[in-house]
Amino acid sequence: MESLALDFAGESGASVVAVYLLAPDEPVLQLALLSGVSWRIAVPWARVTLDKSTPVADAVRERRLVWIGSEEERARCYPRMALVLPHPFALAAAPITTGPVVWGGLVLHWPASHPPDLSPRERDAVRNVCDGLGLILRQAAESGHRLRAGTQPRVLTPRPVRTAADAEAQAAVGFAERLPDGCCALDVDGRITFVTTAAAGLLGVGVRELLGARPWEALPWLDTPVAEDRYRSAALSREPTSFTARRPPDHWLTFHLYPDATGISVRVVPAGPSHSADPPRLVHPAPPAEPGRATALYALTHLAVALTEAVGVSDVVDRVADQVLAAFDARALVLMTVQDGRLRIIGHRGYSAELMERFDARPLTSDTPAVHVLTTGIPSFFTDFDELKRAHPPAVHLDGMASWAFLPLITTGRPVGSMVLAYHRPHRFAPQERSVLTALAGLIAQALDRAHLYDAEHHLARDLQAGLLPHALPRVPGLEVAARYLPTGHGTGIGGDFYDFIRLDDTTAAAAIGDVQGHHVQAATLMGQVRTAVHATAGAPPGEVLARTNRLLTDLDPGLFTSCTYVALDTARHRACLATAGHPPPLLRHPDGHAEVLSLTPGLLLGIDPTADYPATEIPLPPGAVLALYTDGLVEAPGVDLEDAIHSLADALSLAGAVSMEDLADHLIEHTGPSASHSDDIALLVIRAL
């Protein structure tokens, strides 16, 4: 797989190649292979959930090629990515599949100089490499060795343009040493692999102290947002760039960056008259590297943007774990909130469930670090267990970690909970890192506070909606019926979709399906009123049922509109009579197996005009015929024509064969793809005449 990825990069000119694998037990894409860019830059996208709006998630979920050819298009389609990576580059994402099986996704970057469109040859090349990767992954799975992503991706070293023998390499060093000013080379990870004596002199640090270090780590005065931003811009866009920085006390230097797939060449040039003509060649080594200001700003920006999209508590936990662990090189994380006088664990990553059970629900009177930081509001940092034990004598070392950070989650002066970060190796918490972690805790506290409010409203509306939908469908001789309801995978998850099936007598029944505008408690409440009105008038002609319901809604004037289809079923005459108020057309599968989209004369949505008419259409419903009623969530999808989607659903109904209505309902729901991708609720009612 590694060789295939590197070969493709070399042949296609792609500057970055990233292979994601779908986790076997959750809808998450994990970064498995990376080439062409530093792992530090890719950290925020190491784990991508399928229901989020990112290029690779969209490509895998919708099984299509995603192409973003410009910064403007990226800002329009993926504003979060554009905000944290405002650099010019082109991007493609494609699913890795074999037949119906999805294994993961491929992400490719091209330099900013790439044309705005992907050529047919490039599209074919992307398709071919995905097919090759899919075949490798399928063969591995069939042999019992399914490939899985590790905690960090395997970083592949790009193949050099050319290699040099020892004599040629020494000649290159001599050539660089003779050049005026200074120069150095950075590898893909941003570390200095070569530096001239002149460059070291300009930087004021010895050659040995610079080799193997990142510039902003070895040179504290170069640890600025501008310097690291220009580095990321060069690494992603593959375009030359430059910036000027001041080396204390008053030496101004200009850095010119020239990137390619293997790294970045840097020219260091004095800037301004205040530069000393003969700077000292050697000074004391730079202090140990700390997480810098630029890195901290990068982590804060990513987490802040991620948390703006989080809704419920579990969503906040996932986003925090995805961003914070990798950004601060921690091994485990625990989030806790106060509930009934105890500190309850609401989410964790890197620890076993069994261990978390031992620490869950500690009373707020206990002497534990997590409780202490919550009650005092002061963070605690422990570089080893002995230090932790001195501060909290009852502590027991059970997690196998070496260092810990305990952070209070406080918003508007009110404690929300605590967060624990654990490190598997001894970790020294520098002042800069402590302040950054404290700031992160504040962001997380605010997000958790909002998430708790969201969850409370969500549960209230969900209970309300569950109480309004039918608990069971009545049995009617001569008919077999099944229903499904799926909440949306986004937003509040509460809508006004409803269905009903009503037995009138031994030979007649009524069915209704509808969708109230909106996704909130008001929509769910109005849905109950509409369903009650339909139920109360059931048995009247379909057009009259909708007309009466419409008059009721216009009198209530809720400010929301409703679509609805009502069906009167007569098993003795094997007939059905239908009327619709702006609802998607029903589907009818005939006894011979072919399915059609019924053409009904639509009336206005309910709640608009109290005088609206709703024409009725009568159709035969012979034994073996199947009628399918559904809401638009089953057929609407971004970038898909609605009419095409409805006919595709009719094809799925036709191909399902003579299965039970329960199996047919499941088949039609599965036809729409993963439930996490739905942007709207789904209601489905299928009826077969016997």
Side-chain angles (χ1 to χ4, degrees):
M1 193 160 67
E2 292 91 341
S3 178
L4 187 62
L6 289 176
D7 287 344
F8 177 80
E11 295 168 3
S12 67
S15 54
V16 175
V17 178
V19 177
Y20 286 84
L21 297 182
L22 188 62
D25 52 353
E26 56 180 335
V28 171
L29 293 164
Q30 295 176 296
L31 186 57
L33 291 180
L34 180 66
S35 177
V37 71
S38 171
W39 160 233
R40 289 157 51 86
I41 294 177
V43 158
W45 292 278
R47 279 173 52 92
V48 178
T49 54
L50 278 180
D51 63 339
K52 304 310 176 190
S53 180
T54 66
V56 68
D58 289 351
V60 171
R61 188 176 61 247
E62 300 169 13
R63 301 190 66 160
R64 65 181 177 91
L65 175 67
V66 173
W67 168 250
I68 305 296
S70 68
E71 285 185 271
E72 181 180 351
E73 187 177 5
R74 188 163 70 248
R76 185 174 65 253
C77 299
Y78 301 101
R80 175 187 168 192
M81 175 178 287
L83 177 63
V84 295
L85 289 179
H87 310 299
F89 61 90
L91 179 149
I96 300 173
T97 63
T98 53
V101 180
V102 178
W103 301 102
L106 177 69
V107 174
L108 305 164
H109 289 196
W110 275 271
S113 57
H114 190 283
D117 296 318
L118 202 60
S119 71
R121 183 182 62 81
E122 289 172 323
R123 289 179 179 270
D124 290 341
V126 172
R127 189 178 303 111
N128 290 338
V129 74
C130 286
D131 289 344
L133 291 169
L135 182 61
I136 292 171
L137 292 166
R138 186 184 70 183
Q139 290 172 343
E142 289 174 347
S143 66
H145 300 89
R146 177 169 179 155
L147 297 180
R148 301 173 185 267
T151 54
Q152 291 190 8
R154 179 175 173 80
V155 179
L156 308 180
T157 303
R159 290 175 178 148
V161 177
R162 55 173 292 198
T163 57
D166 291 346
E168 187 180 7
Q170 186 58 50
V173 172
F175 169 81
E177 287 286 349
R178 289 188 292 271
L179 291 175
D181 305 318
C183 61
C184 66
L186 310 181
D187 65 12
V188 171
D189 199 37
R191 297 185 183 277
I192 299 172
T193 56
F194 170 77
V195 60
T196 63
T197 306
L202 290 171
L203 298 174
V205 178
V207 170
R208 291 186 178 180
E209 284 72 38
L210 291 170
L211 289 175
R214 297 183 180 92
W216 46 89
E217 294 174 348
L219 307 166
W221 52 270
L222 202 55
D223 179 22
T224 67
V226 171
E228 192 165 344
D229 176 77
R230 290 299 83 201
Y231 158 72
R232 285 198 301 271
S233 178
L236 289 168
S237 70
R238 295 293 197 264
E239 286 191 333
T241 186
S242 64
F243 65 93
T244 300
R246 182 178 66 87
R247 172 196 147 204
D250 57 359
H251 302 295
W252 288 89
L253 301 173
T254 298
F255 297 81
H256 300 273
L257 283 64
Y258 302 91
D260 75 356
T262 62
I264 300 176
S265 297
V266 182
R267 284 186 60 217
V268 186
V269 182
S274 60
H275 172 70
S276 170
D278 187 21
R281 294 298 180 96
L282 296 174
V283 297
H284 293 294
E290 301 176 359
R293 287 169 292 171
T295 301
L297 179 62
Y298 191 53
L300 279 167
T301 302
H302 274 285
L303 182 61
V305 173
L307 290 179
T308 61
E309 300 175 349
V311 282
V313 169
S314 63
D315 202 12
V316 171
V317 171
D318 287 342
R319 291 172 187 264
V320 169
D322 290 345
Q323 299 289 333
V324 173
L325 284 177
F328 292 90
D329 199 25
R331 174 58 61 88
L333 174 146
V334 184
L335 282 174
M336 295 164 279
T337 58
V338 178
Q339 298 177 21
D340 302 323
R342 294 179 178 272
L343 202 54
R344 301 301 302 259
I345 295 174
I346 59 171
H348 59 89
R349 182 80 61 81
Y351 282 130
S352 68
E354 293 76 16
L355 182 63
M356 292 296 94
E357 287 179 6
R358 299 193 59 172
F359 288 94
D360 192 20
R362 293 295 175 93
L364 296 183
T365 55
S366 61
D367 183 12
T368 66
V371 169
H372 179 75
V373 299
L374 173 68
T375 56
T376 64
I378 302 173
S380 295
F381 301 92
F382 303 103
T383 57
D384 56 45
F385 183 72
D386 289 341
E387 188 178 342
L388 191 156
K389 184 75 171 176
R390 286 193 298 271
H392 300 278
V396 180
H397 195 184
L398 296 177
D399 65 355
M401 298 295 175
S403 300
W404 301 264
F406 293 86
L407 304 164
L409 303 179
I410 299 174
T411 178
T412 61
R414 179 172 51 85
V416 174
S418 302
M419 181 173 76
V420 182
L421 277 181
Y423 298 77
H424 65 295
R425 295 190 182 94
H427 187 84
R428 186 179 66 85
F429 296 94
Q432 175 72 31
E433 187 176 15
R434 294 184 183 215
S435 63
V436 171
L437 288 173
T438 303
L440 286 172
L443 290 176
I444 295 165
Q446 294 174 22
L448 278 176
D449 202 33
R450 293 192 303 268
H452 281 303
L453 292 174
Y454 163 84
D455 283 345
E457 180 180 352
H458 175 84
H459 291 143
L460 171 63
R462 178 67 66 210
D463 291 343
L464 173 63
Q465 190 173 43
L468 294 173
L469 289 173
H471 295 290
L473 300 178
R475 294 182 179 273
V476 176
L479 297 174
E480 182 187 359
V481 186
R484 294 289 183 271
Y485 173 78
L486 274 73
T488 177
H490 299 279
T492 64
I494 294 299
D497 288 28
F498 68 93
Y499 62 87
D500 207 349
F501 183 68
I502 308 161
R503 174 174 174 157
L504 300 174
D505 57 36
D506 288 344
T507 61
T508 60
I513 196 160
D515 184 1
V516 178
Q517 172 192 20
H519 290 84
H520 38 62
V521 174
Q522 185 184 3
T525 303
L526 184 60
M527 175 268 283
Q529 294 172 318
V530 173
R531 181 171 171 257
T532 300
V534 170
H535 211 284
T537 55
E544 182 62 24
V545 171
L546 292 183
R548 292 181 187 178
T549 304
N550 176 55
R551 287 194 292 272
L552 171 65
L553 290 187
T554 52
D555 288 344
L556 292 173
D557 191 22
L560 300 175
F561 304 131
T562 302
S563 70
C564 184
T565 293
Y566 179 89
V567 185
L569 300 156
D570 188 334
T571 60
R573 298 175 55 238
H574 298 294
R575 308 288 291 181
C577 189
L578 305 91
T580 182
H583 199 75
L587 307 178
L588 177 65
R589 189 178 75 188
H590 296 272
D592 64 3
H594 86 276
E596 66 171 313
V597 179
L598 293 179
S599 179
L600 306 180
T601 303
L604 282 175
L605 292 169
L606 304 177
I608 297 178
D609 179 2
T611 64
D613 291 326
Y614 297 92
T617 302
E618 188 169 289
I619 62 169
L621 196 67
V626 175
L627 188 65
L629 310 175
Y630 55 93
T631 55
D632 54 10
L634 190 64
V635 289
E636 285 188 342
V640 178
D641 181 80
L642 181 59
E643 186 174 345
D644 290 344
I646 292 173
H647 282 89
S648 175
L649 184 64
D651 292 341
L653 175 63
S654 178
L655 296 172
V659 297
S660 70
M661 290 300 94
E662 294 292 336
D663 289 342
L664 177 61
D666 290 337
H667 173 74
L668 295 181
I669 291 294
E670 291 169 1
H671 170 74
T672 67
S675 61
S677 67
H678 299 148
S679 59
D680 198 0
D681 292 8
I682 292 174
L684 171 68
L685 188 64
V686 288
I687 306 166
R688 177 160 58 194
L690 301 176

PDB file of all heavy atoms in Angstrom, residues 12 19 135 141 168 170 185 189 240 329 336 439 442 488-489 496 507 512 522 578 583 592 595 641 654 658 675:
ATOM      1  N   SER A  12       1.529  11.499 -10.495  1.00  0.00           N
ATOM      2  CA  SER A  12       0.435  12.456 -10.659  1.00  0.00           C
ATOM      3  C   SER A  12       0.826  13.885 -10.316  1.00  0.00           C
ATOM      4  O   SER A  12       0.106  14.817 -10.652  1.00  0.00           O
ATOM      5  CB  SER A  12      -0.747  12.048  -9.776  1.00  0.00           C
ATOM      6  OG  SER A  12      -0.405  12.180  -8.404  1.00  0.00           O
ATOM      7  N   VAL A  19      -4.059   8.388   3.264  1.00  0.00           N
ATOM      8  CA  VAL A  19      -4.974   7.252   3.162  1.00  0.00           C
ATOM      9  C   VAL A  19      -5.680   7.086   4.504  1.00  0.00           C
ATOM     10  O   VAL A  19      -5.029   6.958   5.549  1.00  0.00           O
ATOM     11  CB  VAL A  19      -4.230   5.959   2.794  1.00  0.00           C
ATOM     12  CG1 VAL A  19      -5.202   4.774   2.778  1.00  0.00           C
ATOM     13  CG2 VAL A  19      -3.557   6.103   1.430  1.00  0.00           C
ATOM     14  N   LEU A 135      -8.294  -3.201  -3.488  1.00  0.00           N
ATOM     15  CA  LEU A 135      -7.944  -4.603  -3.693  1.00  0.00           C
ATOM     16  C   LEU A 135      -6.975  -5.085  -2.617  1.00  0.00           C
ATOM     17  O   LEU A 135      -7.125  -6.190  -2.072  1.00  0.00           O
ATOM     18  CB  LEU A 135      -7.326  -4.780  -5.089  1.00  0.00           C
ATOM     19  CG  LEU A 135      -6.943  -6.213  -5.485  1.00  0.00           C
ATOM     20  CD1 LEU A 135      -8.170  -7.109  -5.483  1.00  0.00           C
ATOM     21  CD2 LEU A 135      -6.276  -6.213  -6.863  1.00  0.00           C
ATOM     22  N   ALA A 141      -8.069  -8.384   4.336  1.00  0.00           N
ATOM     23  CA  ALA A 141      -9.200  -8.792   5.176  1.00  0.00           C
ATOM     24  C   ALA A 141      -9.558 -10.253   4.940  1.00  0.00           C
ATOM     25  O   ALA A 141      -9.849 -10.998   5.881  1.00  0.00           O
ATOM     26  CB  ALA A 141     -10.399  -7.891   4.894  1.00  0.00           C
ATOM     27  N   GLU A 168      29.719  13.718  -4.537  1.00  0.00           N
ATOM     28  CA  GLU A 168      28.809  14.741  -5.034  1.00  0.00           C
ATOM     29  C   GLU A 168      28.133  15.471  -3.878  1.00  0.00           C
ATOM     30  O   GLU A 168      27.933  16.691  -3.932  1.00  0.00           O
ATOM     31  CB  GLU A 168      27.754  14.106  -5.940  1.00  0.00           C
ATOM     32  CG  GLU A 168      26.864  15.127  -6.633  1.00  0.00           C
ATOM     33  CD  GLU A 168      25.819  14.483  -7.525  1.00  0.00           C
ATOM     34  OE1 GLU A 168      25.698  13.237  -7.511  1.00  0.00           O
ATOM     35  OE2 GLU A 168      25.113  15.226  -8.225  1.00  0.00           O
ATOM     36  N   GLN A 170      29.407  15.998  -0.880  1.00  0.00           N
ATOM     37  CA  GLN A 170      30.376  16.917  -0.302  1.00  0.00           C
ATOM     38  C   GLN A 170      30.569  18.139  -1.197  1.00  0.00           C
ATOM     39  O   GLN A 170      30.724  19.264  -0.716  1.00  0.00           O
ATOM     40  CB  GLN A 170      31.721  16.217  -0.088  1.00  0.00           C
ATOM     41  CG  GLN A 170      32.743  17.064   0.650  1.00  0.00           C
ATOM     42  CD  GLN A 170      32.243  17.523   2.022  1.00  0.00           C
ATOM     43  OE1 GLN A 170      31.760  16.720   2.817  1.00  0.00           O
ATOM     44  NE2 GLN A 170      32.339  18.833   2.285  1.00  0.00           N
ATOM     45  N   ALA A 185      18.133  23.486   4.951  1.00  0.00           N
ATOM     46  CA  ALA A 185      17.106  22.614   4.384  1.00  0.00           C
ATOM     47  C   ALA A 185      16.259  22.046   5.509  1.00  0.00           C
ATOM     48  O   ALA A 185      16.780  21.641   6.557  1.00  0.00           O
ATOM     49  CB  ALA A 185      17.750  21.484   3.579  1.00  0.00           C
ATOM     50  N   ASP A 189       8.887  17.144   7.877  1.00  0.00           N
ATOM     51  CA  ASP A 189       8.390  17.386   9.229  1.00  0.00           C
ATOM     52  C   ASP A 189       8.860  18.722   9.786  1.00  0.00           C
ATOM     53  O   ASP A 189       8.608  19.033  10.946  1.00  0.00           O
ATOM     54  CB  ASP A 189       8.831  16.249  10.157  1.00  0.00           C
ATOM     55  CG  ASP A 189       7.996  16.185  11.425  1.00  0.00           C
ATOM     56  OD1 ASP A 189       6.775  16.443  11.334  1.00  0.00           O
ATOM     57  OD2 ASP A 189       8.553  15.908  12.497  1.00  0.00           O
ATOM     58  N   PRO A 240       6.738  29.305  -3.365  1.00  0.00           N
ATOM     59  CA  PRO A 240       7.720  30.051  -2.578  1.00  0.00           C
ATOM     60  C   PRO A 240       7.041  31.160  -1.786  1.00  0.00           C
ATOM     61  O   PRO A 240       6.050  31.754  -2.224  1.00  0.00           O
ATOM     62  CB  PRO A 240       8.663  30.632  -3.640  1.00  0.00           C
ATOM     63  CG  PRO A 240       8.481  29.752  -4.836  1.00  0.00           C
ATOM     64  CD  PRO A 240       7.048  29.324  -4.810  1.00  0.00           C
ATOM     65  N   ASP A 329       0.293  15.690  22.333  1.00  0.00           N
ATOM     66  CA  ASP A 329       1.042  14.434  22.452  1.00  0.00           C
ATOM     67  C   ASP A 329       0.686  13.684  23.734  1.00  0.00           C
ATOM     68  O   ASP A 329       1.537  13.069  24.374  1.00  0.00           O
ATOM     69  CB  ASP A 329       2.548  14.703  22.407  1.00  0.00           C
ATOM     70  CG  ASP A 329       3.329  13.437  22.057  1.00  0.00           C
ATOM     71  OD1 ASP A 329       2.749  12.541  21.415  1.00  0.00           O
ATOM     72  OD2 ASP A 329       4.508  13.334  22.453  1.00  0.00           O
ATOM     73  N   MET A 336     -15.206  15.015  32.803  1.00  0.00           N
ATOM     74  CA  MET A 336     -16.146  14.751  33.893  1.00  0.00           C
ATOM     75  C   MET A 336     -17.004  15.976  34.149  1.00  0.00           C
ATOM     76  O   MET A 336     -16.541  17.105  33.983  1.00  0.00           O
ATOM     77  CB  MET A 336     -15.381  14.389  35.180  1.00  0.00           C
ATOM     78  CG  MET A 336     -14.590  13.099  35.086  1.00  0.00           C
ATOM     79  SD  MET A 336     -13.364  12.925  36.414  1.00  0.00           S
ATOM     80  CE  MET A 336     -12.047  13.928  35.749  1.00  0.00           C
ATOM     81  N   ALA A 439      -6.483  27.700  28.847  1.00  0.00           N
ATOM     82  CA  ALA A 439      -7.372  28.369  27.896  1.00  0.00           C
ATOM     83  C   ALA A 439      -8.259  27.361  27.175  1.00  0.00           C
ATOM     84  O   ALA A 439      -9.455  27.593  26.964  1.00  0.00           O
ATOM     85  CB  ALA A 439      -6.549  29.168  26.888  1.00  0.00           C
ATOM     86  N   GLY A 442     -11.186  26.342  29.233  1.00  0.00           N
ATOM     87  CA  GLY A 442     -12.269  27.314  29.220  1.00  0.00           C
ATOM     88  C   GLY A 442     -13.172  27.150  28.005  1.00  0.00           C
ATOM     89  O   GLY A 442     -14.402  27.219  28.111  1.00  0.00           O
ATOM     90  N   THR A 488     -33.075  12.640  12.051  1.00  0.00           N
ATOM     91  CA  THR A 488     -31.956  13.182  11.300  1.00  0.00           C
ATOM     92  C   THR A 488     -30.641  12.923  12.003  1.00  0.00           C
ATOM     93  O   THR A 488     -30.592  12.805  13.231  1.00  0.00           O
ATOM     94  CB  THR A 488     -32.136  14.700  11.091  1.00  0.00           C
ATOM     95  OG1 THR A 488     -30.996  15.211  10.406  1.00  0.00           O
ATOM     96  CG2 THR A 488     -32.250  15.430  12.406  1.00  0.00           C
ATOM     97  N   GLY A 489     -29.553  12.855  11.209  1.00  0.00           N
ATOM     98  CA  GLY A 489     -28.229  12.687  11.794  1.00  0.00           C
ATOM     99  C   GLY A 489     -27.571  14.007  12.130  1.00  0.00           C
ATOM    100  O   GLY A 489     -26.447  14.038  12.586  1.00  0.00           O
ATOM    101  N   GLY A 496     -40.876  17.133  12.304  1.00  0.00           N
ATOM    102  CA  GLY A 496     -42.311  16.944  12.328  1.00  0.00           C
ATOM    103  C   GLY A 496     -42.783  15.835  11.431  1.00  0.00           C
ATOM    104  O   GLY A 496     -43.957  15.813  11.049  1.00  0.00           O
ATOM    105  N   THR A 507     -63.081  -4.047   6.280  1.00  0.00           N
ATOM    106  CA  THR A 507     -62.646  -3.988   4.882  1.00  0.00           C
ATOM    107  C   THR A 507     -62.070  -2.634   4.481  1.00  0.00           C
ATOM    108  O   THR A 507     -61.657  -2.472   3.333  1.00  0.00           O
ATOM    109  CB  THR A 507     -63.823  -4.311   3.941  1.00  0.00           C
ATOM    110  OG1 THR A 507     -64.860  -3.334   4.133  1.00  0.00           O
ATOM    111  CG2 THR A 507     -64.353  -5.712   4.206  1.00  0.00           C
ATOM    112  N   ALA A 512     -51.807   7.635   6.433  1.00  0.00           N
ATOM    113  CA  ALA A 512     -51.389   9.029   6.250  1.00  0.00           C
ATOM    114  C   ALA A 512     -49.904   9.141   6.531  1.00  0.00           C
ATOM    115  O   ALA A 512     -49.345   8.413   7.358  1.00  0.00           O
ATOM    116  CB  ALA A 512     -52.172   9.957   7.172  1.00  0.00           C
ATOM    117  N   GLN A 522     -41.562  22.907  18.555  1.00  0.00           N
ATOM    118  CA  GLN A 522     -42.796  23.414  17.967  1.00  0.00           C
ATOM    119  C   GLN A 522     -43.248  22.539  16.804  1.00  0.00           C
ATOM    120  O   GLN A 522     -44.449  22.266  16.643  1.00  0.00           O
ATOM    121  CB  GLN A 522     -42.601  24.858  17.492  1.00  0.00           C
ATOM    122  CG  GLN A 522     -43.892  25.500  16.968  1.00  0.00           C
ATOM    123  CD  GLN A 522     -43.654  26.898  16.425  1.00  0.00           C
ATOM    124  OE1 GLN A 522     -42.514  27.383  16.391  1.00  0.00           O
ATOM    125  NE2 GLN A 522     -44.729  27.557  15.992  1.00  0.00           N
ATOM    126  N   LEU A 578     -56.357   8.346  -3.150  1.00  0.00           N
ATOM    127  CA  LEU A 578     -55.286   9.148  -2.569  1.00  0.00           C
ATOM    128  C   LEU A 578     -55.492  10.634  -2.844  1.00  0.00           C
ATOM    129  O   LEU A 578     -55.963  11.016  -3.922  1.00  0.00           O
ATOM    130  CB  LEU A 578     -53.920   8.739  -3.136  1.00  0.00           C
ATOM    131  CG  LEU A 578     -53.493   7.275  -3.042  1.00  0.00           C
ATOM    132  CD1 LEU A 578     -53.928   6.501  -4.283  1.00  0.00           C
ATOM    133  CD2 LEU A 578     -51.975   7.152  -2.894  1.00  0.00           C
ATOM    134  N   HIS A 583     -46.905  16.791  -0.963  1.00  0.00           N
ATOM    135  CA  HIS A 583     -46.027  15.760  -0.424  1.00  0.00           C
ATOM    136  C   HIS A 583     -45.374  14.978  -1.569  1.00  0.00           C
ATOM    137  O   HIS A 583     -45.931  14.897  -2.669  1.00  0.00           O
ATOM    138  CB  HIS A 583     -46.831  14.809   0.465  1.00  0.00           C
ATOM    139  CG  HIS A 583     -45.987  14.011   1.411  1.00  0.00           C
ATOM    140  ND1 HIS A 583     -45.424  14.563   2.540  1.00  0.00           N
ATOM    141  CD2 HIS A 583     -45.581  12.718   1.390  1.00  0.00           C
ATOM    142  CE1 HIS A 583     -44.731  13.645   3.175  1.00  0.00           C
ATOM    143  NE2 HIS A 583     -44.807  12.521   2.490  1.00  0.00           N
ATOM    144  N   ASP A 592     -46.736  -7.762 -10.808  1.00  0.00           N
ATOM    145  CA  ASP A 592     -45.708  -8.351 -11.675  1.00  0.00           C
ATOM    146  C   ASP A 592     -44.301  -7.876 -11.317  1.00  0.00           C
ATOM    147  O   ASP A 592     -43.320  -8.297 -11.938  1.00  0.00           O
ATOM    148  CB  ASP A 592     -46.017  -8.049 -13.139  1.00  0.00           C
ATOM    149  CG  ASP A 592     -45.975  -6.552 -13.452  1.00  0.00           C
ATOM    150  OD1 ASP A 592     -45.650  -5.756 -12.544  1.00  0.00           O
ATOM    151  OD2 ASP A 592     -46.263  -6.180 -14.603  1.00  0.00           O
ATOM    152  N   ALA A 595     -42.363  -1.200 -10.707  1.00  0.00           N
ATOM    153  CA  ALA A 595     -42.811  -0.126  -9.817  1.00  0.00           C
ATOM    154  C   ALA A 595     -42.918   1.174 -10.593  1.00  0.00           C
ATOM    155  O   ALA A 595     -42.189   1.405 -11.565  1.00  0.00           O
ATOM    156  CB  ALA A 595     -41.837   0.038  -8.648  1.00  0.00           C
ATOM    157  N   ASP A 641     -30.367  15.077  -7.805  1.00  0.00           N
ATOM    158  CA  ASP A 641     -31.633  15.547  -8.332  1.00  0.00           C
ATOM    159  C   ASP A 641     -32.773  14.787  -7.666  1.00  0.00           C
ATOM    160  O   ASP A 641     -32.754  13.548  -7.582  1.00  0.00           O
ATOM    161  CB  ASP A 641     -31.673  15.345  -9.844  1.00  0.00           C
ATOM    162  CG  ASP A 641     -32.972  15.833 -10.454  1.00  0.00           C
ATOM    163  OD1 ASP A 641     -33.117  17.047 -10.657  1.00  0.00           O
ATOM    164  OD2 ASP A 641     -33.853  14.974 -10.703  1.00  0.00           O
ATOM    165  N   SER A 654     -38.772  -2.086  -6.724  1.00  0.00           N
ATOM    166  CA  SER A 654     -39.007  -3.128  -7.721  1.00  0.00           C
ATOM    167  C   SER A 654     -38.067  -4.310  -7.536  1.00  0.00           C
ATOM    168  O   SER A 654     -38.466  -5.470  -7.669  1.00  0.00           O
ATOM    169  CB  SER A 654     -38.846  -2.537  -9.122  1.00  0.00           C
ATOM    170  OG  SER A 654     -39.022  -3.525 -10.108  1.00  0.00           O
ATOM    171  N   ALA A 658     -40.216 -10.444  -3.443  1.00  0.00           N
ATOM    172  CA  ALA A 658     -41.355 -10.809  -2.591  1.00  0.00           C
ATOM    173  C   ALA A 658     -40.888 -11.078  -1.172  1.00  0.00           C
ATOM    174  O   ALA A 658     -40.836 -12.225  -0.713  1.00  0.00           O
ATOM    175  CB  ALA A 658     -42.079 -12.024  -3.171  1.00  0.00           C
ATOM    176  N   SER A 675     -27.395   6.190   8.178  1.00  0.00           N
ATOM    177  CA  SER A 675     -28.335   7.120   8.814  1.00  0.00           C
ATOM    178  C   SER A 675     -27.653   8.400   9.241  1.00  0.00           C
ATOM    179  O   SER A 675     -28.272   9.449   9.317  1.00  0.00           O
ATOM    180  CB  SER A 675     -28.996   6.448  10.025  1.00  0.00           C
ATOM    181  OG  SER A 675     -28.028   6.090  10.993  1.00  0.00           O
TER     182      SER A 675
END
